[in-house]
């Protein structure tokens, strides 16, 4: 319940209440990935609002990426979509800070948990392209095209 309350507080933009919910959640079950993810997501939201740029933004994004990676690797108790979202966010942070191997690993985790999650597929495509995996990138490009076509209104 604390994880759900934290998600609601995220929607309201109350960073202090998110931290409180996440801490209570971790006190009850320190292995639960959603508790750790709440803090990472709150940090991303704050970073976006901060207006920071350059080296300080990159440093904070790298730290948040590590936090999200820990969340993605944690226990998610039959919540593959939540785990996939955390892994996709970690992948985006890793790729944005040029940590290609870790970004690839997190994008692959996201796709393994939610194969039809379009943002995860796009991140996996980006990672494969940037790593020079032409065959893998082409397969991901096809998966992205298929998912985009399925998402279009008929």
């Amino acid at each position: 319940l604390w994880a759900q309350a934290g998600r609601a507080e995220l929607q309201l933009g109350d960073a202090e209440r998110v931290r409180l919910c996440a801490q209570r959640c971790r006190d009850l079950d320190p292995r639960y990935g959603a508790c750790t993810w709440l803090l990472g997501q709150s940090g991303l939201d704050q970073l976006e609002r901060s207006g920071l740029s350059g080296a300080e933004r990159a440093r904070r994004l790298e730290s948040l990426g590590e936090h999200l990676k820990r969340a993605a690797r944690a226990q998610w108790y039959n919540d593959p979509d939540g785990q996939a979202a955390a892994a996709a966010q970690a992948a985006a942070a890793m790729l944005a800070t040029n940590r290609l191997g870790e970004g690839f690993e997190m994008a692959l985790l996201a796709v393994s948990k939610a194969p039809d999650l379009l943002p995860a597929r796009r991140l996996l495509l980006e990672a494969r392209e940037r790593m020079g995996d032409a065959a893998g990138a082409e397969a991901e490009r096809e998966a992205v095209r298929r998912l985009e076509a399925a998402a279009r209104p008929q």
Side-chain angles (χ1 to χ4, degrees):
L1 291 175
W2 284 110
Q4 290 292 15
R7 287 178 178 137
E9 295 297 344
L10 270 175
Q11 296 297 315
L12 297 172
D14 189 336
E16 186 55 38
R17 301 260 322 168
V18 170
R19 279 190 288 282
L20 173 70
C21 291
Q23 187 56 52
R24 294 229 173 128
C25 182
R26 285 196 332 197
D27 289 346
L28 291 171
D29 186 353
R31 298 166 299 162
Y32 188 21
C35 305
T36 304
W37 170 82
L38 282 169
L39 294 173
Q41 180 59 47
S42 179
L44 285 175
D45 291 348
Q46 289 175 341
L47 182 59
E48 288 304 311
R49 288 191 302 269
S50 73
L52 282 176
S53 61
E56 180 59 20
R57 178 181 174 80
R59 186 189 66 73
R60 287 195 187 175
L61 187 57
E62 189 168 333
S63 175
L64 288 166
E66 282 297 320
H67 194 88
L68 291 163
K69 183 170 72 170
R70 281 191 304 278
R73 288 180 172 163
Q75 177 62 257
W76 281 81
Y77 303 112
N78 297 317
D79 182 9
D81 292 338
Q83 187 174 16
Q89 288 174 322
M94 298 297 173
L95 292 172
T97 55
N98 292 314
R99 295 168 65 184
L100 301 182
E102 291 168 288
F104 172 77
E105 176 190 344
M106 288 291 102
L108 200 57
L109 175 60
V111 166
S112 76
K113 296 296 177 180
D116 293 337
L117 183 62
L118 187 54
R121 285 285 181 182
R122 287 182 176 142
L123 289 163
L124 188 54
L125 170 59
E126 178 185 345
R128 287 186 185 281
E129 286 176 337
R130 289 175 64 188
M131 293 171 65
D133 178 4
E138 186 52 41
E140 284 310 315
R141 219 174 273 106
E142 182 55 38
V144 166
R145 281 193 287 268
R146 177 183 52 79
L147 290 171
E148 287 173 339
R152 285 188 206 107
Q154 300 298 328

